[in-house]
Each structure stands twice: as C-alpha cells, then as structure tokens.
mmCIF file of all heavy atoms in Angstrom:
data_model
loop_
_atom_site.group_PDB
_atom_site.id
_atom_site.type_symbol
_atom_site.label_atom_id
_atom_site.label_comp_id
_atom_site.label_asym_id
_atom_site.label_seq_id
_atom_site.Cartn_x
_atom_site.Cartn_y
_atom_site.Cartn_z
ATOM 1 N N TYR A 1 264.365 181.950 101.156
ATOM 2 C CA TYR A 1 264.264 183.072 102.091
ATOM 3 C C TYR A 1 263.077 183.934 101.678
ATOM 4 O O TYR A 1 262.995 184.382 100.537
ATOM 5 C CB TYR A 1 265.547 183.906 102.065
ATOM 6 C CG TYR A 1 266.767 183.179 102.572
ATOM 7 C CD1 TYR A 1 267.579 182.453 101.696
ATOM 8 C CD2 TYR A 1 267.109 183.203 103.921
ATOM 9 C CE1 TYR A 1 268.704 181.777 102.153
ATOM 10 C CE2 TYR A 1 268.243 182.536 104.394
ATOM 11 C CZ TYR A 1 269.028 181.828 103.507
ATOM 12 O OH TYR A 1 270.143 181.152 103.970
ATOM 13 N N ASP A 2 262.164 184.128 102.620
ATOM 14 C CA ASP A 2 260.958 184.895 102.296
ATOM 15 C C ASP A 2 260.549 185.697 103.533
ATOM 16 O O ASP A 2 259.894 185.185 104.443
ATOM 17 C CB ASP A 2 259.829 183.957 101.869
ATOM 18 C CG ASP A 2 258.657 184.696 101.222
ATOM 19 O OD1 ASP A 2 258.535 185.916 101.452
ATOM 20 O OD2 ASP A 2 257.869 184.058 100.503
ATOM 21 N N LYS A 3 260.917 186.963 103.543
ATOM 22 C CA LYS A 3 260.628 187.816 104.706
ATOM 23 C C LYS A 3 259.146 188.170 104.807
ATOM 24 O O LYS A 3 258.700 188.653 105.849
ATOM 25 C CB LYS A 3 261.468 189.086 104.648
ATOM 26 C CG LYS A 3 261.179 189.984 103.446
ATOM 27 C CD LYS A 3 262.097 191.205 103.438
ATOM 28 C CE LYS A 3 261.816 192.100 102.242
ATOM 29 N NZ LYS A 3 262.716 193.282 102.210
ATOM 30 N N ASN A 4 258.397 187.931 103.714
ATOM 31 C CA ASN A 4 256.965 188.256 103.724
ATOM 32 C C ASN A 4 256.084 187.037 103.973
ATOM 33 O O ASN A 4 254.859 187.125 103.869
ATOM 34 C CB ASN A 4 256.572 188.895 102.384
ATOM 35 C CG ASN A 4 257.291 190.209 102.141
ATOM 36 O OD1 ASN A 4 257.376 191.049 103.027
ATOM 37 N ND2 ASN A 4 257.823 190.375 100.932
ATOM 38 N N MET A 5 256.695 185.908 104.311
ATOM 39 C CA MET A 5 255.943 184.674 104.509
ATOM 40 C C MET A 5 254.984 184.831 105.688
ATOM 41 O O MET A 5 255.386 185.124 106.807
ATOM 42 C CB MET A 5 256.910 183.524 104.782
ATOM 43 C CG MET A 5 256.294 182.154 104.697
ATOM 44 S SD MET A 5 256.196 181.626 102.988
ATOM 45 C CE MET A 5 255.781 179.905 103.171
ATOM 46 N N LYS A 6 253.681 184.640 105.429
ATOM 47 C CA LYS A 6 252.675 184.808 106.485
ATOM 48 C C LYS A 6 252.462 183.526 107.276
ATOM 49 O O LYS A 6 252.226 183.557 108.475
ATOM 50 C CB LYS A 6 251.358 185.272 105.866
ATOM 51 C CG LYS A 6 251.434 186.658 105.237
ATOM 52 C CD LYS A 6 250.088 187.061 104.627
ATOM 53 C CE LYS A 6 250.173 188.433 103.994
ATOM 54 N NZ LYS A 6 248.881 188.832 103.355
ATOM 55 N N LYS A 7 252.511 182.390 106.605
ATOM 56 C CA LYS A 7 252.309 181.105 107.284
ATOM 57 C C LYS A 7 253.250 180.089 106.669
ATOM 58 O O LYS A 7 253.156 179.794 105.474
ATOM 59 C CB LYS A 7 250.858 180.643 107.151
ATOM 60 C CG LYS A 7 250.550 179.355 107.903
ATOM 61 C CD LYS A 7 249.078 178.992 107.768
ATOM 62 C CE LYS A 7 248.758 177.656 108.430
ATOM 63 N NZ LYS A 7 248.972 177.683 109.890
ATOM 64 N N PHE A 8 254.146 179.566 107.464
ATOM 65 C CA PHE A 8 255.112 178.609 106.953
ATOM 66 C C PHE A 8 254.483 177.228 106.827
ATOM 67 O O PHE A 8 253.627 176.850 107.629
ATOM 68 C CB PHE A 8 256.329 178.548 107.882
ATOM 69 C CG PHE A 8 257.253 179.717 107.735
ATOM 70 C CD1 PHE A 8 257.017 180.882 108.430
ATOM 71 C CD2 PHE A 8 258.347 179.647 106.886
ATOM 72 C CE1 PHE A 8 257.855 181.970 108.293
ATOM 73 C CE2 PHE A 8 259.196 180.729 106.735
ATOM 74 C CZ PHE A 8 258.951 181.898 107.435
ATOM 75 N N PRO A 9 254.908 176.461 105.831
ATOM 76 C CA PRO A 9 254.354 175.110 105.664
ATOM 77 C C PRO A 9 254.846 174.183 106.770
ATOM 78 O O PRO A 9 255.886 174.422 107.389
ATOM 79 C CB PRO A 9 254.890 174.684 104.298
ATOM 80 C CG PRO A 9 256.167 175.463 104.136
ATOM 81 C CD PRO A 9 255.909 176.791 104.792
ATOM 82 N N ARG A 10 254.110 173.141 106.987
ATOM 83 C CA ARG A 10 254.448 172.153 108.015
ATOM 84 C C ARG A 10 255.611 171.277 107.540
ATOM 85 O O ARG A 10 255.624 170.808 106.397
ATOM 86 C CB ARG A 10 253.222 171.292 108.306
ATOM 87 C CG ARG A 10 253.453 170.142 109.275
ATOM 88 C CD ARG A 10 252.167 169.343 109.490
ATOM 89 N NE ARG A 10 251.672 168.763 108.253
ATOM 90 C CZ ARG A 10 252.070 167.590 107.753
ATOM 91 N NH1 ARG A 10 253.009 166.887 108.390
ATOM 92 N NH2 ARG A 10 251.555 167.122 106.637
ATOM 93 N N VAL A 11 256.579 171.070 108.408
ATOM 94 C CA VAL A 11 257.662 170.138 108.102
ATOM 95 C C VAL A 11 257.058 168.747 107.897
ATOM 96 O O VAL A 11 256.242 168.275 108.684
ATOM 97 C CB VAL A 11 258.712 170.118 109.224
ATOM 98 C CG1 VAL A 11 259.743 169.012 108.977
ATOM 99 C CG2 VAL A 11 259.402 171.463 109.332
ATOM 100 N N GLY A 12 257.435 168.112 106.799
ATOM 101 C CA GLY A 12 256.879 166.815 106.451
ATOM 102 C C GLY A 12 255.791 166.895 105.387
ATOM 103 O O GLY A 12 255.395 165.865 104.829
ATOM 104 N N SER A 13 255.319 168.121 105.118
ATOM 105 C CA SER A 13 254.317 168.300 104.060
ATOM 106 C C SER A 13 255.013 168.495 102.716
ATOM 107 O O SER A 13 256.244 168.554 102.627
ATOM 108 C CB SER A 13 253.415 169.493 104.372
ATOM 109 O OG SER A 13 254.146 170.712 104.349
ATOM 110 N N VAL A 14 254.218 168.583 101.666
ATOM 111 C CA VAL A 14 254.719 168.852 100.318
ATOM 112 C C VAL A 14 254.222 170.244 99.923
ATOM 113 O O VAL A 14 253.017 170.484 99.904
ATOM 114 C CB VAL A 14 254.227 167.817 99.299
ATOM 115 C CG1 VAL A 14 254.778 168.126 97.906
ATOM 116 C CG2 VAL A 14 254.623 166.413 99.725
ATOM 117 N N LEU A 15 255.141 171.144 99.601
ATOM 118 C CA LEU A 15 254.749 172.470 99.134
ATOM 119 C C LEU A 15 254.654 172.437 97.613
ATOM 120 O O LEU A 15 255.591 172.037 96.931
ATOM 121 C CB LEU A 15 255.753 173.535 99.570
ATOM 122 C CG LEU A 15 255.325 174.982 99.275
ATOM 123 C CD1 LEU A 15 254.128 175.381 100.118
ATOM 124 C CD2 LEU A 15 256.481 175.950 99.500
ATOM 125 N N GLN A 16 253.501 172.858 97.093
ATOM 126 C CA GLN A 16 253.247 172.822 95.655
ATOM 127 C C GLN A 16 252.923 174.216 95.160
ATOM 128 O O GLN A 16 252.187 174.962 95.792
ATOM 129 C CB GLN A 16 252.073 171.889 95.365
ATOM 130 C CG GLN A 16 252.024 171.340 93.952
ATOM 131 C CD GLN A 16 251.624 172.365 92.898
ATOM 132 O OE1 GLN A 16 252.121 172.345 91.784
ATOM 133 N NE2 GLN A 16 250.729 173.274 93.255
ATOM 134 N N SER A 17 253.499 174.602 94.030
ATOM 135 C CA SER A 17 253.315 175.945 93.467
ATOM 136 C C SER A 17 252.927 175.830 91.994
ATOM 137 O O SER A 17 253.463 174.991 91.266
ATOM 138 C CB SER A 17 254.595 176.760 93.604
ATOM 139 O OG SER A 17 254.995 176.845 94.970
ATOM 140 N N LYS A 18 252.017 176.710 91.568
ATOM 141 C CA LYS A 18 251.556 176.661 90.178
ATOM 142 C C LYS A 18 251.821 177.968 89.421
ATOM 143 O O LYS A 18 251.272 178.180 88.346
ATOM 144 C CB LYS A 18 250.073 176.332 90.122
ATOM 145 C CG LYS A 18 249.140 177.396 90.703
ATOM 146 C CD LYS A 18 247.681 177.066 90.421
ATOM 147 C CE LYS A 18 246.752 178.194 90.867
ATOM 148 N NZ LYS A 18 245.341 177.950 90.526
ATOM 149 N N GLY A 19 252.656 178.853 89.976
ATOM 150 C CA GLY A 19 253.016 180.064 89.254
ATOM 151 C C GLY A 19 252.095 181.233 89.542
ATOM 152 O O GLY A 19 251.113 181.132 90.274
ATOM 153 N N ASP A 20 252.421 182.379 88.929
ATOM 154 C CA ASP A 20 251.700 183.615 89.226
ATOM 155 C C ASP A 20 250.313 183.625 88.601
ATOM 156 O O ASP A 20 250.050 182.985 87.581
ATOM 157 C CB ASP A 20 252.492 184.827 88.742
ATOM 158 C CG ASP A 20 252.635 184.855 87.230
ATOM 159 O OD1 ASP A 20 253.552 184.200 86.702
ATOM 160 O OD2 ASP A 20 251.814 185.512 86.578
ATOM 161 N N LYS A 21 249.417 184.388 89.242
ATOM 162 C CA LYS A 21 248.008 184.427 88.855
ATOM 163 C C LYS A 21 247.812 184.914 87.424
ATOM 164 O O LYS A 21 246.912 184.453 86.712
ATOM 165 C CB LYS A 21 247.251 185.325 89.826
ATOM 166 C CG LYS A 21 245.754 185.382 89.602
ATOM 167 C CD LYS A 21 245.087 186.240 90.669
ATOM 168 C CE LYS A 21 243.595 186.303 90.460
ATOM 169 N NZ LYS A 21 242.927 187.131 91.489
ATOM 170 N N LYS A 22 248.639 185.818 86.964
ATOM 171 C CA LYS A 22 248.478 186.383 85.635
ATOM 172 C C LYS A 22 248.685 185.336 84.548
ATOM 173 O O LYS A 22 248.055 185.397 83.485
ATOM 174 C CB LYS A 22 249.446 187.549 85.427
ATOM 175 C CG LYS A 22 249.305 188.238 84.083
ATOM 176 C CD LYS A 22 250.270 189.408 83.954
ATOM 177 C CE LYS A 22 250.131 190.090 82.597
ATOM 178 N NZ LYS A 22 251.090 191.219 82.434
ATOM 179 N N ASN A 23 249.546 184.364 84.801
ATOM 180 C CA ASN A 23 249.936 183.420 83.741
ATOM 181 C C ASN A 23 249.544 181.971 83.985
ATOM 182 O O ASN A 23 249.760 181.128 83.113
ATOM 183 C CB ASN A 23 251.458 183.476 83.554
ATOM 184 C CG ASN A 23 251.926 184.825 83.029
ATOM 185 O OD1 ASN A 23 251.581 185.215 81.923
ATOM 186 N ND2 ASN A 23 252.711 185.530 83.833
ATOM 187 N N ASN A 24 248.994 181.650 85.172
ATOM 188 C CA ASN A 24 248.830 180.225 85.487
ATOM 189 C C ASN A 24 247.499 179.619 85.059
ATOM 190 O O ASN A 24 247.192 178.486 85.432
ATOM 191 C CB ASN A 24 249.096 179.956 86.974
ATOM 192 C CG ASN A 24 248.077 180.594 87.902
ATOM 193 O OD1 ASN A 24 246.971 180.943 87.502
ATOM 194 N ND2 ASN A 24 248.457 180.768 89.158
ATOM 195 N N ARG A 25 246.701 180.362 84.284
ATOM 196 C CA ARG A 25 245.503 179.765 83.676
ATOM 197 C C ARG A 25 245.586 179.970 82.162
ATOM 198 O O ARG A 25 244.994 180.889 81.613
ATOM 199 C CB ARG A 25 244.233 180.400 84.240
ATOM 200 C CG ARG A 25 243.936 180.028 85.682
ATOM 201 C CD ARG A 25 242.560 180.511 86.081
ATOM 202 N NE ARG A 25 242.207 180.107 87.431
ATOM 203 C CZ ARG A 25 240.980 180.143 87.929
ATOM 204 N NH1 ARG A 25 239.975 180.566 87.163
ATOM 205 N NH2 ARG A 25 240.729 179.773 89.159
ATOM 206 N N TYR A 26 246.335 179.108 81.520
ATOM 207 C CA TYR A 26 246.575 179.262 80.081
ATOM 208 C C TYR A 26 245.340 178.878 79.277
ATOM 209 O O TYR A 26 244.844 179.655 78.453
ATOM 210 C CB TYR A 26 247.776 178.410 79.674
ATOM 211 C CG TYR A 26 248.096 178.457 78.203
ATOM 212 C CD1 TYR A 26 248.834 179.521 77.675
ATOM 213 C CD2 TYR A 26 247.682 177.444 77.343
ATOM 214 C CE1 TYR A 26 249.129 179.572 76.313
ATOM 215 C CE2 TYR A 26 247.978 177.489 75.989
ATOM 216 C CZ TYR A 26 248.694 178.559 75.477
ATOM 217 O OH TYR A 26 248.980 178.611 74.131
ATOM 218 N N ALA A 27 244.825 177.669 79.500
ATOM 219 C CA ALA A 27 243.670 177.194 78.740
ATOM 220 C C ALA A 27 243.131 175.935 79.395
ATOM 221 O O ALA A 27 243.878 175.164 80.007
ATOM 222 C CB ALA A 27 244.044 176.904 77.288
ATOM 223 N N PRO A 28 241.833 175.673 79.259
ATOM 224 C CA PRO A 28 241.277 174.409 79.768
ATOM 225 C C PRO A 28 241.633 173.241 78.862
ATOM 226 O O PRO A 28 242.028 173.433 77.712
ATOM 227 C CB PRO A 28 239.766 174.679 79.747
ATOM 228 C CG PRO A 28 239.585 175.645 78.616
ATOM 229 C CD PRO A 28 240.806 176.529 78.628
ATOM 230 N N ALA A 29 241.468 172.038 79.388
ATOM 231 C CA ALA A 29 241.656 170.850 78.546
ATOM 232 C C ALA A 29 240.617 170.829 77.427
ATOM 233 O O ALA A 29 240.935 170.551 76.274
ATOM 234 C CB ALA A 29 241.565 169.582 79.394
ATOM 235 N N PHE A 30 239.359 171.126 77.785
ATOM 236 C CA PHE A 30 238.271 171.166 76.807
ATOM 237 C C PHE A 30 237.557 172.510 76.918
ATOM 238 O O PHE A 30 237.008 172.831 77.978
ATOM 239 C CB PHE A 30 237.263 170.042 77.051
ATOM 240 C CG PHE A 30 237.818 168.659 76.869
ATOM 241 C CD1 PHE A 30 238.304 167.945 77.952
ATOM 242 C CD2 PHE A 30 237.866 168.071 75.618
ATOM 243 C CE1 PHE A 30 238.815 166.667 77.793
ATOM 244 C CE2 PHE A 30 238.377 166.794 75.440
ATOM 245 C CZ PHE A 30 238.858 166.095 76.539
ATOM 246 N N LEU A 31 237.575 173.284 75.847
ATOM 247 C CA LEU A 31 236.833 174.540 75.770
ATOM 248 C C LEU A 31 235.687 174.345 74.785
ATOM 249 O O LEU A 31 235.906 174.042 73.609
ATOM 250 C CB LEU A 31 237.742 175.680 75.301
ATOM 251 C CG LEU A 31 237.044 177.016 74.996
ATOM 252 C CD1 LEU A 31 236.323 177.572 76.215
ATOM 253 C CD2 LEU A 31 238.056 178.037 74.466
ATOM 254 N N VAL A 32 234.460 174.507 75.281
ATOM 255 C CA VAL A 32 233.274 174.342 74.441
ATOM 256 C C VAL A 32 232.441 175.607 74.560
ATOM 257 O O VAL A 32 232.063 176.006 75.663
ATOM 258 C CB VAL A 32 232.428 173.132 74.888
ATOM 259 C CG1 VAL A 32 231.242 172.944 73.944
ATOM 260 C CG2 VAL A 32 233.276 171.864 74.951
ATOM 261 N N ARG A 33 232.141 176.240 73.422
ATOM 262 C CA ARG A 33 231.296 177.434 73.510
ATOM 263 C C ARG A 33 230.413 177.578 72.278
ATOM 264 O O ARG A 33 230.730 177.065 71.210
ATOM 265 C CB ARG A 33 232.134 178.688 73.731
ATOM 266 C CG ARG A 33 233.191 178.983 72.731
ATOM 267 C CD ARG A 33 234.004 180.174 73.234
ATOM 268 N NE ARG A 33 235.092 180.512 72.363
ATOM 269 C CZ ARG A 33 236.065 181.356 72.692
ATOM 270 N NH1 ARG A 33 236.064 181.941 73.861
ATOM 271 N NH2 ARG A 33 237.027 181.613 71.841
ATOM 272 N N ASN A 34 229.298 178.254 72.526
ATOM 273 C CA ASN A 34 228.301 178.445 71.470
ATOM 274 C C ASN A 34 227.929 177.115 70.816
ATOM 275 O O ASN A 34 227.743 177.020 69.605
ATOM 276 C CB ASN A 34 228.809 179.438 70.419
ATOM 277 C CG ASN A 34 229.099 180.792 71.022
ATOM 278 O OD1 ASN A 34 228.263 181.378 71.706
ATOM 279 N ND2 ASN A 34 230.305 181.299 70.803
ATOM 280 N N SER A 35 227.843 176.083 71.646
ATOM 281 C CA SER A 35 227.551 174.738 71.159
ATOM 282 C C SER A 35 226.425 174.131 71.995
ATOM 283 O O SER A 35 226.026 174.683 73.020
ATOM 284 C CB SER A 35 228.804 173.862 71.226
ATOM 285 O OG SER A 35 229.835 174.373 70.396
ATOM 286 N N LYS A 36 225.924 172.972 71.540
ATOM 287 C CA LYS A 36 224.833 172.320 72.266
ATOM 288 C C LYS A 36 224.884 170.814 72.057
ATOM 289 O O LYS A 36 225.656 170.316 71.234
ATOM 290 C CB LYS A 36 223.485 172.880 71.818
ATOM 291 C CG LYS A 36 223.186 172.768 70.332
ATOM 292 C CD LYS A 36 221.891 173.515 69.987
ATOM 293 C CE LYS A 36 221.596 173.478 68.507
ATOM 294 N NZ LYS A 36 220.362 174.236 68.165
ATOM 295 N N ASN A 37 224.047 170.110 72.850
ATOM 296 C CA ASN A 37 223.991 168.649 72.789
ATOM 297 C C ASN A 37 225.381 168.052 72.975
ATOM 298 O O ASN A 37 225.959 167.432 72.079
ATOM 299 C CB ASN A 37 223.374 168.177 71.471
ATOM 300 C CG ASN A 37 221.978 168.723 71.268
ATOM 301 O OD1 ASN A 37 221.170 168.727 72.193
ATOM 302 N ND2 ASN A 37 221.695 169.208 70.059
ATOM 303 N N ILE A 38 225.911 168.251 74.189
ATOM 304 C CA ILE A 38 227.312 167.946 74.494
ATOM 305 C C ILE A 38 227.369 166.787 75.477
ATOM 306 O O ILE A 38 226.669 166.795 76.501
ATOM 307 C CB ILE A 38 228.001 169.189 75.095
ATOM 308 C CG1 ILE A 38 227.901 170.363 74.104
ATOM 309 C CG2 ILE A 38 229.429 168.896 75.463
ATOM 310 C CD1 ILE A 38 227.869 171.710 74.774
ATOM 311 N N ARG A 39 228.198 165.808 75.173
ATOM 312 C CA ARG A 39 228.347 164.672 76.088
ATOM 313 C C ARG A 39 229.803 164.230 76.158
ATOM 314 O O ARG A 39 230.434 163.934 75.140
ATOM 315 C CB ARG A 39 227.481 163.499 75.659
ATOM 316 C CG ARG A 39 227.748 162.219 76.461
ATOM 317 C CD ARG A 39 226.732 161.129 76.215
ATOM 318 N NE ARG A 39 225.457 161.463 76.841
ATOM 319 C CZ ARG A 39 224.518 160.554 77.111
ATOM 320 N NH1 ARG A 39 224.714 159.288 76.806
ATOM 321 N NH2 ARG A 39 223.378 160.917 77.665
ATOM 322 N N PHE A 40 230.327 164.208 77.387
ATOM 323 C CA PHE A 40 231.631 163.617 77.670
ATOM 324 C C PHE A 40 231.386 162.359 78.492
ATOM 325 O O PHE A 40 230.716 162.406 79.528
ATOM 326 C CB PHE A 40 232.520 164.589 78.441
ATOM 327 C CG PHE A 40 232.996 165.755 77.619
ATOM 328 C CD1 PHE A 40 232.242 166.912 77.519
ATOM 329 C CD2 PHE A 40 234.203 165.692 76.946
ATOM 330 C CE1 PHE A 40 232.674 167.987 76.768
ATOM 331 C CE2 PHE A 40 234.648 166.763 76.186
ATOM 332 C CZ PHE A 40 233.881 167.910 76.094
ATOM 333 N N ASN A 41 231.932 161.240 78.047
ATOM 334 C CA ASN A 41 231.720 159.971 78.733
ATOM 335 C C ASN A 41 233.054 159.234 78.849
ATOM 336 O O ASN A 41 233.735 159.005 77.846
ATOM 337 C CB ASN A 41 230.704 159.112 77.970
ATOM 338 C CG ASN A 41 230.334 157.845 78.728
ATOM 339 O OD1 ASN A 41 230.429 157.784 79.952
ATOM 340 N ND2 ASN A 41 229.922 156.826 78.004
ATOM 341 N N ASN A 42 233.412 158.895 80.075
ATOM 342 C CA ASN A 42 234.669 158.184 80.332
ATOM 343 C C ASN A 42 235.861 158.959 79.788
ATOM 344 O O ASN A 42 236.712 158.424 79.073
ATOM 345 C CB ASN A 42 234.631 156.772 79.742
ATOM 346 C CG ASN A 42 235.766 155.907 80.253
ATOM 347 O OD1 ASN A 42 236.270 156.123 81.367
ATOM 348 N ND2 ASN A 42 236.187 154.941 79.462
ATOM 349 N N VAL A 43 235.924 160.212 80.150
ATOM 350 C CA VAL A 43 237.050 161.075 79.793
ATOM 351 C C VAL A 43 237.819 161.398 81.078
ATOM 352 O O VAL A 43 237.241 161.910 82.043
ATOM 353 C CB VAL A 43 236.572 162.367 79.106
ATOM 354 C CG1 VAL A 43 237.744 163.306 78.856
ATOM 355 C CG2 VAL A 43 235.858 162.031 77.804
ATOM 356 N N ILE A 44 239.112 161.108 81.086
ATOM 357 C CA ILE A 44 239.952 161.302 82.265
ATOM 358 C C ILE A 44 240.993 162.381 81.971
ATOM 359 O O ILE A 44 241.621 162.363 80.907
ATOM 360 C CB ILE A 44 240.675 159.998 82.661
ATOM 361 C CG1 ILE A 44 239.672 158.854 82.827
ATOM 362 C CG2 ILE A 44 241.493 160.200 83.934
ATOM 363 C CD1 ILE A 44 238.622 159.078 83.883
#
C-alpha cells in the first residue's frame, strides 16, 4: 500500500529495489586512487 505512488509498475514487469539513497552505495568492487599505470583485463 503506497498512497504516494506516482507511477505504478506495469503488470507482468519485475519491480526491483536497491534500498535508500543514504545507504545503497556502500563501496565499489574496485577502488583505485592516487595510483597510476592501471590495467584491468578480463575482469567480470
């Protein structure tokens, strides 16, 4: 139940949620900083 819903999803679609903006960017898979000569090859 959501009285503030602006646009309802389409029946038959998949609704996906990733949490609130404050907490949903914890960390990247790879954090590189103050570094150089960087190569990622065949990394999935």
Side-chain angles (χ1 to χ4, degrees):
Y1 294 90
D2 193 339
K3 63 182 180 181
N4 297 314
M5 193 81 169
K6 295 180 180 178
K7 183 178 176 64
F8 284 85
R10 175 180 61 86
V11 173
S13 66
V14 180
L15 187 67
Q16 202 288 144
S17 303
K18 66 172 186 176
D20 65 276
K21 184 177 180 180
K22 182 179 180 181
N23 295 296
N24 66 20
R25 289 189 177 195
Y26 178 82
F30 296 94
L31 172 60
V32 183
R33 57 187 178 192
N34 300 308
S35 298
K36 57 187 177 182
N37 302 316
I38 302 150
R39 172 170 288 199
F40 289 88
N41 186 25
N42 193 27
V43 175
I44 306 300

